[in-house]
Amino acid sequence: MALKMVKGSIDRMFDKNLQDLVRGIRNHKEDEAKYISQCIDEIKQELKQDNIAVKANAVCKLTYLQMLGYDISWAAFNIIEVMSASKFTFKRIGYLAASQCFHEGTDVIMLTTNQIRKDLSSPSQYDTGVALTGLACFVTPDLARDLANDIMTLMSHTKPYIRKKAVLIMYKVFLKYPESLRPAFPRLKEKLEDPDPGVQSAAVNVICELARRNPKNYLSLAPLFFKLMTSSTNNWVLIKIIKLFGALTPLEPRLGKKLIEPLTNLIHSTSAMSLLYECVNTVIAVLISLSSGMPNHSASIQLCVQKLRILIEDSDQNLKYLGLLAMSKILKTHPKSVQSHKDLILQCLDDKDESIRLRALDLLYGMVSKKNLMEIVKKLMTHVDKAEGTTYRDELLTKIIDICSQSNYQYITNFEWYISILVELTRLEGTRHGHLIAAQMLDVAIRVKAIRKFAVSQMSALLDSAHLVASNTQRNGICEVLYAAAWICGEFSEHLQEPQLTLEAMLRPKVTTLPGHIQAVYVQNVLKLYAAVLQQRERTGTLQAAQAATQLLVDRLPQFVQSADLEVQERASCILQLVKYIQKLQAKDVPVAEEVSALFAGELNPVAPKAQKKVPVPEGLDLDAWINEPPSDSESEDEAPKAIFHEDEQKPTRPRQPEVDEEELARRREARKQEQANNPFYIKSSPSPQKRYQDAPGVEHIPVVQIDLSVPLKVPGMPASDQYVKLEQERRHRQRLEKDRKRKKQRKEKRREGHHRRHSSLHTESDEDIAPAQQVDIVTEEMPENALPSDEDDKDPNDPYRALDIDLDKPLADSEKLPVQKHRNAESPQSPDKEAVPGAEKKSKKLKKKDTKQHREKERRKGKGKGKGKAEDLDFWLSTTPPPAAAPGPSPSPGEPGTDSAVAAPDEEYEEPTREGLEHEEDEEQELEKKSSKHKKKKHKKEKEEEAKDKRKARRRKAPSEEVAEEPVHNGTLDGEPLPPLSSYCLLAEDTYIKMTYDVQSSLQKDSQVTVSVILENLSRSFLKSMELNVLDSLNTKMARPEGASVHDGVPVPFQLPPGVSNEAQFVFTVQSIAMAQKLKGTLSFIAKNDQGSTHEKLDFKLHFSCSSYLITTPCSSDAFAKLLESGDLSMSSIRVGSITTSFQNLLAKICFHHHFSVVERVDSCASMYSRSVQGHHICLLVKQGENSVSVDGKCSDPTLLSNLLDEMKVTLAQC
Amino acid sequence: MIKAILIFNNHGKPRLSKFYQPYSEDTQQQIIRETFHLVSKRDENVCNFLEGGLLIGGSDNKLIYRHYATLYFVFCVDSSESELGILDLIQVFVETLDKCFENVCELDLIFHVDKVHNILAEMVMGGMVLETNMNEIVTQIDAQNKLEKSEAGFAGAPARAVSAVKNMNLPEIPRNINIGDISIKVPNLPSFK
């Protein structure tokens, strides 16, 4: 045998291994592809062999080829083969390959489920580890659903190595199978306090990742995290937690207040920059979340800014970058504190690192003021000149425009300067932002009336030198500015000094090389200019010259008529005809100027881009209905090129047929005006009062306009913005002088009046003192009066994280649990309708829906009380100030025990109150509400007094005599909810190897079957395998066994147990009569394997089926309940139990929980309850509490069942 | 979350690629090329963060990289990760490689990419940071190697001998990718060590 293996491996060693493959590829540099395809052929041969080592080697090579970009999905099946090898070496190769190339679309992935499950429960921690690592990369919804329970079991593995991996992978499981989040969350929360730092870190990691997407669901964990933050020393964990708090604070400002102090302490104490940086970031988030009226936090802001300055000044580029990044966050809410560091930020603009320059640019946006805008932009302009890469230059360009145009040009005091900046920007070659510049030009020219004259002069100069910008005719290139230039010159032609020159410039043959949409604007505006020229000539009486202008148009327009662009062609031919007609009139010496210019009469107002969209459709108007009969197909029109500027909206009013005589046109126009005046949707030209740019009293007395204008207009060609800077400074200086003079005057006057206002004379030059150079009125974009506010923050419906938006504070419903693997019988054909386990989800969808519905209803009823409880809990924590250092968040402490005991035997002391709490709220809801505010206040006060942890605990244990009313609420909300089905587990049998706890569950869907869930926990150091469970069937109750098995055969447990691990198995039993409780004797046999060898062991047990376990909690309306009682076919029986001290609520809760009843109605100390058996018996109870005793009257269709049930109940009540 | 981890050399040849989101092989190659293009044109002494890998989606993502001799180590992460923390993680990764390969060089990564993957798997799992303590990582790797050796046992001996012979004439390329400046600019998180 050994010889054969050696022989096999000798054969093998001449196979190519990974190193040979790599070497081969390196030696075949020139024909690599050919070599690799050859290798792939070899690999295919190797994969066909039986030897697993050969296969693993082949898969290993494939993984390498995958990295080089070769698709290896064809080998998916072989990869699975290698994954299932027994040797770790091969297994690891297989899982690595799978993690590199499997994804949700891989069809064979479903074959891996059982293999992975086997590996997860493997005795070797590395087999488990490698399976977890692999699974983390390729988990699919199916895998997640099927393996969730196994992974959850591993979260409590003895080895921290496995625990941390299991905890971490849960995040992936949640993503793929969101239903698992709620059942698994308690245990995940528990892991936050794992003794192993690695596991703890993993749990923090997972919860932070979850909370980042849906922070509000995790607010209740804040106290726990707060405790971790103040106690942990692991920087990784601290960073994660602090980041998490950053996400939580916007939702709960009080949390922020609580955080400030410990964070500030950390900032002062830590030496780790990464931690410092995250602290600063979170403090910033806190400051943002707090309302601005918090003066006492200015110290925190100063601290942050000061620390950030240190980062930015650091020689390390990384710190500099992060410092700037964080600074920009402060900027949004506290611009003042950042502005004082302007020097530093301007300095960063000169940094050689582009990332840093970009960050600094972002910051500049918030630092400008009226005072420094020109200076900053000047600096940026020099950067534009220096910048080499077009990306950075374009970034600069957009930033300049952003900075200047922000909040409605708030900081621009001199628009001539701005226009000249825009014109300077047009000199940039190869920019992709021509459109942006053009839009700015149009916007400014339209909205700032005072600047039009200057703008027109600049634009005509631009048109004159169009050859400079027109060289680059690509779309959205710089030539776009000609679009704006042409339009401005045309529209505001009355400001042109030499319209004739501009007209000629626009008719140059070169223009035809421009993009179509620009030519179209040219053509249209040529006519406007022409109208202006005519008017000018006719006024001066030079009719000859007017005719010359007409001739110019007639000569030049044909070049546009021939244009390939439809829009240009159409407009040109229309206008040409119109001009020819004018020529005829001119020949008869008819004055035409008035009429031609009437074509373009009327003021134009800017309209907000969304205005049209925001007009609501009037009622009764169907926009999709045909107005006329649909035209025949042949008339389909070519789509006209889209207008790119929204200001284009005036175009449709243009006359289409030049043949219509002028009078007719004028008449129509008049009619239209009339109509528009009456139309409420038409935007009229009256300016609204708030549009005044500045109504400061200083504006009128500034005599500067003329002075400023005269100089720059003489600048030939392109203006230099620098001159404006100088001029502006002079202007401001003068302005100041003048103001001073005025002030002196005032002061004198005041002195005469008396010393009433003293401090008004203080001289500071603030922003407000600088008056704008032009008397500008910025016309705000108009909106229709009845515009609707549109909120367009639609969330992406495909966001995978949305599914994880789950309320984690709700108690778990019975239907919510992870699918547990069952032995085959559970799926035997005679019972197609399974229990509502998500594993069998498809089959039992109906049931589940019903369940959740019920659950929701319950929830709704509870709703208020619950929410209040939770809020109160957090409120309480937030309202107390923690002892600075230790700060044990008081609330998390009582929360843990319930979850702890979930796996092990039920811990009576804690378990019961917890459960009660859950059930209770429902009943107490009303009561609580009655007592409402008074009660709450009292409680609040009390809790404040009892701050210390131990005191609280003591109170918890106290018999809940007078505090009953509030205690359960408290518990229910504070405690992590235990898994309800688990908590009712009771001990089955135990020895030194194994401990078994069990619970019997039944559901309505299968009348004669119950499922027994057994948790097997390995207590020994041995590895337990080949477990088999067998019972001695009784006549009444039989275990369902695999087909063909005899009654003496056991049912194998579908897993193995490594030391310290527990897992759950389910067994199905068929029951004939449920009227009597049953006991079945059984044996669990297993092999225990340890270092010394393996032994065969047995453990006997008695399985007890109580009558209560056949009942199903079924809600019942009081009407239905009354009908049932009236029907009269129920027999009656009753019991009485004395010396009961428990409160009535607790009592009811116990009955509900242990015997699966639900409360129908409750009046004072009397309640009616209802339940239903798996076989459909109705059971009605009337529970009455007397002094120290309780009587229970029952009615049921089966008297035996009833009496047995009541006996069981008696035992339960006796314990109360 | 870490979205992807890439190692390539100064010429853009991939040495390791690990994507924690599924991409087709073509897209993966494109991402590697694009990332190389972005990273390689940057100067030595500029910051180690880069915004805007276009292919690995979204503005939320950042590239965080380090350049050691002939190799670039690039982590693509989203905003839930601490930038400086990841830089440290890269350092831990490289130091761990150095320990496991005893003076690691590019050749080690070329010929033993599977081992590099195994080391990485002990640090990052499914895109989330699993372990940052180098000693812990090395311990686990050693234990697994031991396990592997014991499995190969007697039968594995001849194959090992042959591969030793094969490896004798490796091209003479200077070993050691020189992680010399261990006192990295990022002030170290004390707990990592």
Side-chain angles (χ1 to χ4, degrees), chain A residues 9 13 19-20 23 66-67 69 88-89 92 99-100 126 161 164 168 172 205 212 236 243 273-274 316 318 321 353 355 359, chain B residues 17-18 28-29 42 46-48 51 78-80 111 118 122 126 128 131-132 140 143-144 148 151 162 166-167 187 189 192:
Chain A
S9 67
M13 71 195 183
Q19 282 77 35
D20 298 325
R23 203 170 294 130
Q66 194 274 341
M67 181 181 76
F88 170 72
T89 320
R92 183 158 74 167
S99 75
Q100 292 293 86
Y126 292 112
Y161 179 75
K164 71 181 177 193
L168 216 50
K172 295 278 177 166
N205 214 336
R212 197 165 72 94
W236 265 102
K243 265 184 171 285
M273 279 299 186
S274 43
D316 183 351
N318 292 329
Y321 173 87
D353 189 345
S355 315
R359 287 280 137 257
Chain B
S17 67
K18 183 88 204 168
Q28 291 186 0
Q29 293 302 309
R42 291 173 63 85
V46 297
C47 72
N48 300 66
E51 279 149 80
D78 68 14
S79 64
S80 74
F111 286 104
N118 295 336
E122 294 301 320
M128 294 197 281
E131 184 59 69
T132 51
Q140 299 299 349
Q144 290 177 34
E148 206 173 49
E151 278 181 353
V162 170
K166 280 178 185 167
N167 283 335
L189 314 188
F192 287 174

Coordinates of all heavy atoms in Angstrom, one line a residue, chain A residues 9 13 19-20 23 66-67 69 88-89 92 99-100 126 161 164 168 172 205 212 236 243 273-274 316 318 321 353 355 359, chain B residues 17-18 28-29 42 46-48 51 78-80 111 118 122 126 128 131-132 140 143-144 148 151 162 166-167 187 189 192:
Chain A
S9 N 3.4 8.9 -6.2 CA 4.0 10.2 -6.0 C 5.2 10.4 -6.9 O 5.5 11.5 -7.2 CB 4.3 10.5 -4.5 OG 5.3 9.7 -4.1
M13 N 5.7 13.4 -9.5 CA 6.7 14.5 -9.3 C 7.1 15.0 -10.7 O 7.8 16.1 -10.7 CB 7.8 14.1 -8.5 CG 8.8 13.1 -9.1 SD 9.8 12.4 -7.8 CE 10.8 11.3 -8.8
Q19 N 5.0 25.9 -9.5 CA 6.3 26.5 -9.7 C 6.8 26.3 -11.2 O 7.2 27.2 -11.8 CB 7.4 26.0 -8.8 CG 7.3 26.6 -7.4 CD 6.2 26.0 -6.5 OE1 5.9 24.8 -6.7 NE2 5.5 26.8 -5.7
D20 N 6.5 25.1 -11.6 CA 6.9 24.8 -13.0 C 6.1 25.6 -14.0 O 6.6 26.1 -15.0 CB 6.7 23.3 -13.3 CG 7.6 22.4 -12.4 OD1 8.7 22.9 -12.1 OD2 7.1 21.4 -12.0
R23 N 7.4 29.1 -14.0 CA 8.6 29.2 -14.6 C 8.5 29.1 -16.1 O 9.1 29.9 -16.9 CB 9.5 28.1 -14.1 CG 11.0 28.3 -14.3 CD 11.8 27.3 -13.6 NE 11.6 27.4 -12.1 CZ 11.3 26.3 -11.3 NH1 11.2 25.1 -11.9 NH2 11.2 26.5 -10.1
Q66 N -6.2 31.9 -13.1 CA -7.3 32.8 -12.9 C -6.8 34.2 -12.6 O -7.4 35.2 -13.1 CB -8.1 32.2 -11.7 CG -9.5 32.9 -11.6 CD -9.5 34.1 -10.8 OE1 -8.6 34.4 -10.0 NE2 -10.6 34.9 -10.9
M67 N -5.7 34.3 -11.9 CA -5.2 35.6 -11.5 C -4.8 36.3 -12.8 O -4.8 37.5 -12.9 CB -4.1 35.5 -10.6 CG -3.5 36.8 -10.1 SD -2.1 36.6 -9.0 CE -0.8 36.1 -10.1
G69 N -6.2 36.2 -15.5 CA -7.3 36.6 -16.3 C -8.0 35.5 -17.1 O -8.8 35.7 -18.0
F88 N -6.1 18.1 4.6 CA -6.1 19.5 4.7 C -5.4 20.2 3.6 O -5.9 21.2 3.0 CB -5.5 19.9 6.1 CG -5.3 21.4 6.2 CD1 -6.4 22.3 6.4 CD2 -4.0 22.0 6.1 CE1 -6.2 23.6 6.5 CE2 -3.9 23.4 6.3 CZ -4.9 24.2 6.5
T89 N -4.2 19.7 3.2 CA -3.5 20.3 2.1 C -4.3 20.5 0.8 O -4.3 21.6 0.2 CB -2.3 19.4 1.7 OG1 -1.8 18.8 2.9 CG2 -1.2 20.1 0.9
R92 N -7.5 22.8 1.3 CA -7.2 24.2 1.3 C -7.0 24.7 -0.1 O -7.5 25.8 -0.5 CB -5.9 24.5 2.1 CG -5.5 25.9 2.2 CD -4.6 26.2 3.3 NE -3.3 25.7 3.1 CZ -2.2 26.1 3.9 NH1 -2.4 26.9 4.9 NH2 -1.0 25.6 3.6
S99 N -12.9 30.2 -3.6 CA -13.1 31.5 -3.2 C -12.7 32.5 -4.3 O -13.2 33.6 -4.3 CB -12.3 31.8 -1.9 OG -10.9 31.9 -2.2
Q100 N -11.8 32.1 -5.2 CA -11.4 33.0 -6.3 C -12.4 33.0 -7.4 O -12.4 34.0 -8.1 CB -10.0 32.6 -6.8 CG -8.9 32.8 -5.8 CD -8.6 34.3 -5.5 OE1 -9.2 34.8 -4.6 NE2 -7.7 34.9 -6.2
Y126 N -8.5 23.6 11.7 CA -8.1 24.3 10.4 C -9.0 23.9 9.3 O -9.2 24.7 8.3 CB -6.6 23.9 10.1 CG -5.7 24.6 11.1 CD1 -5.0 23.9 12.1 CD2 -5.7 26.0 11.2 CE1 -4.2 24.5 13.1 CE2 -4.9 26.6 12.2 CZ -4.2 25.9 13.1 OH -3.5 26.6 14.0
Y161 N -10.0 30.8 17.7 CA -9.7 30.9 16.2 C -11.0 30.6 15.4 O -11.2 31.3 14.4 CB -8.6 29.8 15.9 CG -8.2 29.7 14.5 CD1 -7.4 30.7 13.9 CD2 -8.6 28.7 13.7 CE1 -7.0 30.6 12.6 CE2 -8.3 28.6 12.4 CZ -7.4 29.6 11.8 OH -7.0 29.5 10.5
K164 N -13.8 33.6 16.2 CA -13.7 34.9 15.5 C -14.1 34.7 14.0 O -14.7 35.6 13.5 CB -12.3 35.5 15.7 CG -11.2 34.8 15.0 CD -9.9 35.5 15.3 CE -8.8 34.8 14.6 NZ -7.4 35.2 15.1
L168 N -17.3 36.7 12.3 CA -17.1 37.6 11.1 C -17.9 37.2 9.9 O -18.5 38.0 9.3 CB -15.6 37.5 10.8 CG -15.0 38.8 10.3 CD1 -15.3 39.9 11.2 CD2 -13.5 38.6 10.2
K172 N -21.7 38.2 6.4 CA -22.0 37.8 5.0 C -23.3 37.0 5.0 O -24.0 37.1 4.0 CB -20.8 36.9 4.5 CG -19.5 37.6 4.4 CD -19.5 38.4 3.1 CE -18.2 39.2 2.9 NZ -18.0 39.7 1.6
N205 N -16.6 44.5 14.7 CA -16.5 44.7 13.3 C -17.8 44.5 12.6 O -18.3 45.3 11.8 CB -15.5 43.7 12.7 CG -14.7 44.3 11.6 OD1 -15.1 45.2 10.9 ND2 -13.5 43.7 11.4
R212 N -23.6 50.7 10.3 CA -23.3 51.8 9.3 C -24.4 52.0 8.3 O -24.7 53.1 7.9 CB -22.0 51.4 8.6 CG -21.3 52.6 7.9 CD -19.9 52.1 7.6 NE -19.9 51.2 6.6 CZ -19.7 51.5 5.3 NH1 -19.6 52.7 4.9 NH2 -19.7 50.5 4.4
W236 N -7.8 48.9 17.2 CA -8.6 48.5 16.1 C -10.1 48.6 16.5 O -10.9 49.2 15.8 CB -8.4 47.1 15.6 CG -7.4 47.0 14.5 CD1 -6.1 46.7 14.5 CD2 -7.7 47.3 13.1 NE1 -5.6 46.8 13.3 CE2 -6.5 47.1 12.4 CE3 -8.9 47.7 12.4 CZ2 -6.5 47.3 11.0 CZ3 -8.8 47.9 11.1 CH2 -7.6 47.7 10.4
K243 N -15.9 55.1 15.1 CA -16.5 55.4 13.8 C -18.1 55.1 13.9 O -18.9 55.8 13.3 CB -15.9 54.4 12.7 CG -14.8 55.1 11.9 CD -14.3 54.2 10.8 CE -13.4 54.8 9.9 NZ -14.0 55.7 8.9
M273 N -1.9 58.1 15.9 CA -2.5 59.1 15.0 C -3.8 58.6 14.4 O -4.8 59.4 14.2 CB -1.6 59.4 13.8 CG -0.5 60.4 14.2 SD -1.2 62.0 14.8 CE 0.2 62.9 15.0
S274 N -3.9 57.3 14.1 CA -5.1 56.8 13.5 C -6.3 57.0 14.4 O -7.4 57.4 14.0 CB -4.9 55.3 13.1 OG -4.3 54.7 14.1
D316 N 4.3 64.4 6.9 CA 3.7 63.2 6.3 C 2.5 63.6 5.5 O 1.5 64.2 5.9 CB 3.3 62.3 7.4 CG 2.8 61.0 6.9 OD1 2.6 60.9 5.6 OD2 2.5 60.0 7.6
N318 N 0.3 61.8 4.2 CA -0.9 61.1 4.6 C -1.7 61.9 5.6 O -2.9 62.1 5.5 CB -0.6 59.7 5.1 CG -0.1 58.8 4.0 OD1 -0.5 59.0 2.8 ND2 0.8 57.9 4.4
Y321 N -3.2 65.0 4.2 CA -4.4 64.8 3.4 C -5.6 64.5 4.3 O -6.7 65.1 4.1 CB -4.1 63.5 2.6 CG -5.3 63.0 1.8 CD1 -5.7 63.4 0.6 CD2 -6.1 62.0 2.4 CE1 -6.7 63.0 -0.1 CE2 -7.2 61.5 1.7 CZ -7.5 62.0 0.5 OH -8.6 61.5 -0.2
D353 N 1.6 67.4 -4.3 CA 0.7 66.2 -4.4 C -0.7 66.6 -4.8 O -1.4 67.5 -4.2 CB 0.6 65.6 -3.0 CG -0.1 64.3 -3.0 OD1 -0.8 64.0 -4.0 OD2 0.0 63.5 -2.0
S355 N -3.6 65.0 -4.9 CA -4.7 64.7 -4.0 C -4.8 65.8 -2.9 O -5.9 66.2 -2.5 CB -4.4 63.4 -3.2 OG -4.0 62.4 -4.1
R359 N -8.0 68.5 -2.2 CA -8.6 68.6 -0.9 C -8.6 70.1 -0.5 O -9.6 70.6 0.0 CB -7.9 67.8 0.1 CG -8.1 66.3 0.0 CD -9.4 65.9 0.6 NE -10.0 64.9 -0.2 CZ -11.0 65.2 -1.0 NH1 -11.6 66.4 -1.1 NH2 -11.5 64.2 -1.7
Chain B
S17 N -4.2 38.7 -6.6 CA -5.5 39.5 -6.7 C -6.5 38.8 -5.9 O -6.7 37.6 -5.9 CB -5.9 39.7 -8.1 OG -6.3 38.4 -8.6
K18 N -7.2 39.6 -5.0 CA -8.2 39.0 -4.2 C -9.4 40.0 -4.2 O -9.2 41.1 -3.7 CB -7.7 38.9 -2.8 CG -8.6 38.2 -1.8 CD -8.5 36.7 -1.8 CE -9.7 36.0 -1.4 NZ -9.7 34.6 -1.7
Q28 N -11.8 42.0 -13.7 CA -10.7 41.9 -12.8 C -9.5 42.5 -13.4 O -8.8 43.3 -12.8 CB -10.5 40.5 -12.3 CG -11.7 40.0 -11.4 CD -11.4 38.6 -10.8 OE1 -10.3 38.1 -11.0 NE2 -12.3 38.1 -10.0
Q29 N -9.2 42.0 -14.6 CA -8.0 42.4 -15.3 C -8.0 43.9 -15.5 O -7.0 44.6 -15.4 CB -7.8 41.7 -16.6 CG -7.5 40.2 -16.4 CD -6.2 40.0 -15.5 OE1 -5.2 40.5 -15.8 NE2 -6.4 39.1 -14.5
R42 N 2.1 58.1 -9.7 CA 2.3 59.0 -8.5 C 3.7 59.0 -8.0 O 4.4 58.0 -8.1 CB 1.3 58.6 -7.4 CG -0.1 58.8 -7.8 CD -1.0 58.3 -6.7 NE -0.9 58.9 -5.4 CZ -1.4 60.0 -5.1 NH1 -2.2 60.6 -5.9 NH2 -1.3 60.5 -3.9
V46 N 4.3 61.2 -2.1 CA 3.0 61.8 -2.0 C 2.1 60.9 -1.1 O 2.6 59.9 -0.7 CB 2.3 62.0 -3.4 CG1 3.1 62.9 -4.2 CG2 2.1 60.7 -4.0
C47 N 0.9 61.4 -0.8 CA 0.1 60.6 0.2 C -0.3 59.3 -0.4 O -0.4 59.1 -1.7 CB -1.1 61.4 0.7 SG -2.4 61.6 -0.5
N48 N -0.6 58.3 0.4 CA -0.9 57.0 0.0 C -2.4 56.7 -0.3 O -2.8 55.6 -0.3 CB -0.4 56.0 1.0 CG 1.1 56.1 1.3 OD1 1.6 57.1 1.7 ND2 1.8 55.1 0.9
E51 N -8.4 58.7 -4.5 CA -9.9 58.6 -4.6 C -10.2 58.2 -6.1 O -9.4 58.5 -7.0 CB -10.6 59.9 -4.3 CG -10.8 60.1 -2.8 CD -10.7 61.5 -2.5 OE1 -11.7 62.2 -2.6 OE2 -9.7 62.0 -2.0
D78 N -13.8 50.8 1.6 CA -14.9 51.8 1.6 C -14.7 52.6 2.9 O -13.8 52.5 3.7 CB -16.3 51.2 1.5 CG -16.6 50.3 2.7 OD1 -15.9 50.4 3.8 OD2 -17.6 49.6 2.7
S79 N -15.7 53.5 3.2 CA -15.4 54.5 4.2 C -15.5 54.0 5.6 O -15.3 54.7 6.6 CB -16.4 55.7 4.1 OG -17.7 55.2 4.3
S80 N -15.9 52.7 5.8 CA -16.0 52.2 7.1 C -14.6 51.8 7.7 O -14.5 51.5 8.8 CB -16.9 51.0 7.2 OG -16.2 49.9 6.6
F111 N 6.3 32.7 -7.2 CA 6.3 31.2 -7.2 C 5.4 30.6 -6.1 O 5.0 29.5 -6.2 CB 7.7 30.7 -7.1 CG 8.5 30.8 -8.3 CD1 9.5 31.8 -8.4 CD2 8.2 30.0 -9.4 CE1 10.2 31.9 -9.6 CE2 8.9 30.2 -10.6 CZ 9.9 31.1 -10.7
N118 N -2.8 32.1 1.5 CA -3.1 31.5 2.8 C -2.8 32.5 4.0 O -3.5 32.5 5.0 CB -2.3 30.2 3.0 CG -2.7 29.2 2.0 OD1 -3.8 29.2 1.5 ND2 -1.8 28.3 1.7
E122 N -5.5 34.6 6.8 CA -5.5 34.7 8.2 C -5.6 36.1 8.7 O -5.8 36.4 9.9 CB -4.2 34.1 8.8 CG -4.0 32.6 8.6 CD -5.2 31.8 9.2 OE1 -5.6 32.2 10.3 OE2 -5.7 30.9 8.6
G126 N -13.2 37.5 3.8 CA -14.4 38.0 3.2 C -14.5 39.5 3.2 O -15.6 40.1 3.2
M128 N -13.3 41.5 5.5 CA -13.3 42.1 6.8 C -12.0 41.7 7.6 O -11.5 40.6 7.4 CB -14.5 41.8 7.7 CG -15.7 42.3 7.0 SD -17.1 42.4 8.1 CE -17.6 40.7 8.0
E131 N -7.6 39.5 11.7 CA -6.5 39.5 12.8 C -5.4 40.5 12.4 O -5.1 40.7 11.2 CB -5.9 38.1 12.8 CG -4.9 37.9 13.9 CD -5.4 38.2 15.3 OE1 -6.3 37.4 15.8 OE2 -5.0 39.2 15.9
T132 N -5.0 41.3 13.4 CA -4.0 42.3 13.1 C -2.7 42.0 13.9 O -1.7 42.7 13.7 CB -4.5 43.7 13.5 OG1 -5.0 43.6 14.8 CG2 -5.6 44.1 12.6
Q140 N -0.6 30.7 13.5 CA -1.6 29.9 12.8 C -1.0 29.3 11.5 O -1.2 28.2 11.1 CB -2.8 30.7 12.5 CG -3.5 31.2 13.7 CD -4.0 30.1 14.6 OE1 -4.0 29.0 14.2 NE2 -4.5 30.5 15.8
A143 N 1.3 26.5 12.2 CA 0.6 25.3 12.6 C 0.0 24.6 11.4 O 0.0 23.4 11.2 CB -0.5 25.6 13.6
Q144 N -0.5 25.4 10.4 CA -1.0 24.8 9.2 C 0.0 24.2 8.4 O -0.2 23.1 7.8 CB -1.8 25.9 8.4 CG -3.1 26.3 9.1 CD -3.8 27.4 8.4 OE1 -3.8 27.5 7.2 NE2 -4.4 28.3 9.1
E148 N 0.3 20.3 7.2 CA 0.5 20.0 5.8 C 1.7 19.0 5.6 O 1.6 18.0 4.9 CB 0.8 21.3 5.0 CG 0.4 21.2 3.5 CD 0.6 22.5 2.9 OE1 1.6 23.2 3.0 OE2 -0.4 23.0 2.2
E151 N 0.9 15.6 6.7 CA 0.0 14.9 5.8 C 0.8 14.3 4.6 O 0.6 13.3 4.1 CB -1.1 15.8 5.3 CG -2.2 16.0 6.2 CD -3.3 16.9 5.7 OE1 -3.0 17.6 4.6 OE2 -4.3 17.0 6.3
V162 N 12.4 16.5 -5.5 CA 12.5 16.9 -6.9 C 12.3 18.4 -7.0 O 13.0 19.1 -7.8 CB 11.4 16.2 -7.7 CG1 11.2 16.8 -9.1 CG2 11.7 14.7 -7.9
K166 N 14.6 21.2 -8.7 CA 14.0 22.2 -9.8 C 14.3 23.6 -9.4 O 14.5 24.4 -10.2 CB 12.5 22.0 -9.9 CG 12.1 20.8 -10.7 CD 10.6 20.7 -10.7 CE 10.0 19.5 -11.4 NZ 8.6 19.3 -11.1
N167 N 14.3 23.9 -8.1 CA 14.4 25.2 -7.7 C 15.8 25.7 -7.6 O 16.1 26.9 -7.3 CB 13.8 25.4 -6.3 CG 12.3 25.5 -6.4 OD1 11.7 25.8 -7.4 ND2 11.6 25.1 -5.3
P187 N 2.3 56.8 12.5 CA 2.7 56.4 13.8 C 1.9 55.1 14.2 O 0.7 55.0 14.0 CB 2.1 57.6 14.6 CG 2.0 58.7 13.7 CD 1.7 58.1 12.3
L189 N 0.1 51.9 15.7 CA -0.9 51.7 16.7 C -0.2 50.7 17.7 O 0.2 49.6 17.3 CB -2.1 51.0 16.2 CG -2.7 51.6 14.9 CD1 -4.0 51.0 14.6 CD2 -2.9 53.1 15.1
F192 N -0.9 46.9 17.9 CA -0.6 45.9 16.8 C 0.6 45.1 17.0 O 0.8 44.0 16.5 CB -0.4 46.7 15.5 CG -1.6 47.3 14.9 CD1 -1.6 48.1 13.8 CD2 -2.8 47.0 15.5 CE1 -2.8 48.6 13.3 CE2 -4.0 47.5 15.0 CZ -4.0 48.4 13.9

